[in-house]
Amino acid sequence: MNSLLSFFSPAELFNFRPIPMAGGSVLALAAVALALAAAGIGLTVAAGRYRRSLYRLASPLAVMGALLLGYAAIAYQGLPIFSAKLWLLLWAIVLLAWLAVGLRYRFATLPKIRADRRQQEEFRRYLPK
């Protein structure tokens, strides 16, 4: 727990010359990145067949998985500025925000659009032809 809290300390977040990441940490980041990218690609394939609204969830997963994989490679090498832990925190914030927008569309906006469409079809059914 102490190591998790130390991650969010300003000295750790703004250390732009960190030591290279250990092998186990890089492998864990790479596994998460590949899982996110695979989920994004899988949802893209499913979105083509079933629902286009899944594409709004697939895109952030694939893109952010690729970015995390790039960060893991950079952090393994310990490149100054680019391997700072601040980028990992910003990556997580962007991923959560992007997924929140996609989920809001899927569960709030899309049902309203479908209800309006059904109502318009019902109204057109009784119009003279």
Side-chain angles (χ1 to χ4, degrees):
M1 185 69 172
N2 190 22
S3 64
L4 181 64
L5 293 177
S6 69
F7 176 82
F8 292 104
S9 71
E12 186 71 25
L13 282 176
F14 294 106
N15 182 9
F16 290 117
R17 291 196 175 269
I19 59 173
M21 234 183 227
S25 301
V26 171
L27 286 177
L29 279 177
V32 170
L34 291 175
L36 285 173
I41 291 170
L43 279 177
T44 301
V45 171
R49 278 190 228 150
Y50 301 112
R51 301 224 167 120
R52 296 253 187 245
S53 66
L54 290 178
Y55 186 74
R56 285 183 178 249
L57 297 174
S59 183
L61 290 176
V63 169
M64 296 307 275
L67 285 176
L68 185 62
L69 192 59
Y71 174 79
I74 289 171
Y76 179 72
Q77 296 174 1
L79 293 174
I81 298 177
F82 295 115
S83 62
K85 302 260 190 298
L86 178 66
W87 300 119
L88 194 57
L89 182 64
L90 290 174
W91 174 87
I93 291 169
V94 168
L95 176 67
L96 292 175
W98 204 353
L99 286 176
V101 168
L103 289 172
R104 186 186 67 177
Y105 176 79
R106 175 95 169 102
F107 293 112
T109 307
L110 196 58
K112 291 177 187 175
I113 292 172
R114 287 180 181 160
D116 288 344
R117 188 179 303 149
R118 271 189 239 116
Q119 185 180 13
Q120 287 176 359
E121 287 174 4
E122 186 71 24
F123 180 72
R124 286 187 195 137
R125 210 167 115 190
Y126 295 110
L127 288 177
K129 293 182 181 181

